[in-house]
Amino acid sequence: MTTVNGVGTNTGTSSNGGTNALSSFSKNFDNFLTLLTKQLQYQDPMSPLDTNQFTQQLVEFTSVEQQIETNQKLDSLLGVQSDNQAMAALSFLNNVIEAQSDQVMLQDGSAQISYDLSSDAQTATLVIKDADGQTVRTIPLDDTKTGSHDLTWDGKDQKGNQLDDGVYDISVQAVDDKNVQLAVTTGTRGKVDAVQRIDGEFHLSIGDLDVPLSKVGSVRSPTASGSST
């Protein structure tokens, strides 16, 4: 992986592969034509070469050449698309994002958390776990209406002790008035301090928290009061 202007990238070789394949094919195609010409030149007049056979071979070689050239053009388009994605990802640096996530980054003793209820809940509880899977805090939620809600976790455990900064798992357990479990989507908010590409997809970093670019719902400048999708 290489880093350019703060963006980590995994370099690929698909374009070189297409070029090498076309070069190799061109040599083989030239050899094929040479052999075909010699075969026609020295063929037995009493047993001429089957015209349909060598015409079919010629068509097959031409088809392969066209496929290789098509792949080269696709590689070129993918390269342009990747460059555009890199520039778009760079624009997130030092800006605040809101993203769907089941984790949050506790920084400087606080973390921004959001949750989206699929319908009104009778009760809802935020559950926070550490890296070992141990529950460190449960918080009864007051906002139980359908829709998205935000809250700030003060970074303290159930006993009021301040926890270390780091990545914590979050989930919301909610039931309706019939005690039926509700679907809840959780999210987080924070400032992006790094961008990298992993397995072809760009990821944003909020401290140690990794957020795929595809999970980002909105972005705002650190001083903006509103957000833009």
Side-chain angles (χ1 to χ4, degrees):
M1 183 177 71
T2 58
T3 302
V4 180
N5 293 331
V7 179
T9 60
N10 292 323
T11 57
T13 58
S14 57
S15 297
N16 291 337
T19 302
N20 294 335
L22 184 60
S23 176
S24 176
F25 175 82
S26 298
K27 294 179 181 179
N28 291 334
F29 189 62
D30 290 341
N31 293 335
F32 169 76
L33 290 178
T34 300
L35 290 173
L36 184 62
T37 302
K38 292 296 183 181
Q39 190 173 5
L40 291 174
Q41 182 178 357
Y42 295 105
Q43 66 179 325
D44 185 354
M46 303 301 296
S47 181
L49 184 66
D50 186 348
T51 304
N52 291 332
Q53 183 179 1
F54 73 75
T55 300
Q56 182 180 357
Q57 293 175 351
L58 184 61
V59 170
E60 289 176 352
F61 265 78
T62 303
S63 177
V64 172
E65 181 183 26
Q66 291 174 345
Q67 290 176 7
I68 293 176
E69 290 179 346
T70 298
N71 288 340
Q72 280 190 305
K73 293 177 180 178
L74 287 175
D75 286 338
S76 178
L77 288 175
L78 289 174
V80 171
Q81 183 182 29
S82 179
D83 291 342
N84 290 338
Q85 289 177 343
M87 294 303 297
L90 273 174
S91 66
F92 286 91
L93 276 174
N94 297 319
N95 286 319
V96 175
I97 63 168
E98 294 181 2
Q100 180 180 333
S101 176
D102 56 4
Q103 294 182 314
V104 293
M105 179 65 198
L106 181 62
Q107 287 181 311
D108 300 325
S110 67
Q112 301 298 318
I113 299 173
S114 66
Y115 60 99
D116 194 321
L117 295 170
S118 57
S119 60
D120 289 351
Q122 184 70 23
T123 61
T125 303
L126 172 66
V127 180
I128 304 173
K129 297 182 179 181
D130 60 18
D132 296 324
Q134 300 297 317
T135 299
V136 295
R137 183 80 179 272
T138 57
I139 303 175
L141 301 173
D142 296 328
D143 294 331
T144 57
K145 295 295 184 181
T146 304
S148 182
H149 309 281
D150 300 314
L151 64 95
T152 299
W153 173 38
D154 58 10
K156 295 180 179 179
D157 65 12
Q158 206 67 28
K159 296 180 180 180
N161 300 315
Q162 187 67 45
L163 297 172
D164 295 333
D165 284 357
V167 177
Y168 291 81
D169 295 332
I170 58 171
S171 62
V172 172
Q173 300 174 355
V175 295
D176 61 14
D177 55 3
K178 297 180 180 178
N179 205 35
V180 176
Q181 197 80 22
L182 299 178
V184 184
T185 301
T186 56
T188 188
R189 182 191 306 126
K191 190 168 90 168
V192 177
D193 50 32
V195 179
Q196 60 181 335
R197 186 166 60 183
I198 303 174
D199 296 331
E201 182 180 7
F202 283 97
H203 290 237
L204 310 178
S205 296
I206 302 174
D208 294 330
L209 177 62
D210 178 83
V211 179
L213 186 58
S214 59
K215 296 296 184 180
V216 175
S218 65
V219 58
R220 68 179 71 174
S221 67
T223 57
S225 57
S227 64
S228 58
T229 302

